[in-house]
Amino acid sequence: MRLTGPALRLTVIVGENDSWHHKPLFTEIVHRAHASGLAGASVFQGIEGFGASSLIHTARLLSLSEDLPVAVVIVDTEERVRAFLPQLNELVTGLVTLDACEVVRYAGRDADGGAGGPGGTGDGGKGAR
């Protein structure tokens, strides 16, 4: 899949302990994005944050290091991202944002497992794609 030019970035903020049918909620979001054929999704764990509950969760204090914030970031065309949004309605009670962005480079790994040839990311398929 080639994706360059104008796009939409979907960010979903949930807690790392949030679950859907006994598995992490962020995992369910990523699997649904994949099944929907979206260009890619990445999950990032926060080290500190607070949300609607106004409780600060931080990795700095062992006793409060539970339920750290997790961001699921998905980038694809506006049409495809907006078509995916209804799937989040049943899953997420956290924060969902949309931001216009521009994709400068989007390249998958080549068949031999490399990073897509010269100028590849070298991240072994990790990170935002």
Side-chain angles (χ1 to χ4, degrees), residues 26-38:
F26 58 85
T27 298
E28 181 66 16
I29 295 168
V30 168
H31 285 259
R32 287 189 184 202
H34 184 262
S36 296
L38 293 173

Side-chain angles (χ1 to χ4, degrees), residues 78-95:
E78 180 172 357
E79 179 182 3
R80 292 168 66 90
V81 169
R82 289 194 183 278
F84 180 70
L85 288 176
Q87 293 199 51
L88 297 177
N89 287 340
E90 67 177 310
L91 297 175
V92 179
T93 57
L95 178 66

Side-chain angles (χ1 to χ4, degrees), residues 5 12 21-22 26 28 35 46 50-51 54 65 82 97 110 128:
V12 182
H21 295 279
H22 308 293
F26 58 85
E28 181 66 16
F50 72 93
S54 294
S65 65
R82 289 194 183 278
T97 64
D110 58 15

Side-chain angles (χ1 to χ4, degrees), residues 9-13 85 95-99:
R9 177 179 52 227
L10 166 66
T11 305
V12 182
I13 308 291
L85 288 176
L95 178 66
V96 178
T97 64
L98 294 171
D99 300 289

Side-chain angles (χ1 to χ4, degrees), residues 14-20 23-26 65-68 70:
V14 297
E16 69 179 339
N17 291 339
D18 292 347
S19 63
W20 178 258
K23 65 181 177 182
L25 178 57
F26 58 85
S65 65
E66 299 173 358
D67 205 25
L68 293 171
V70 174

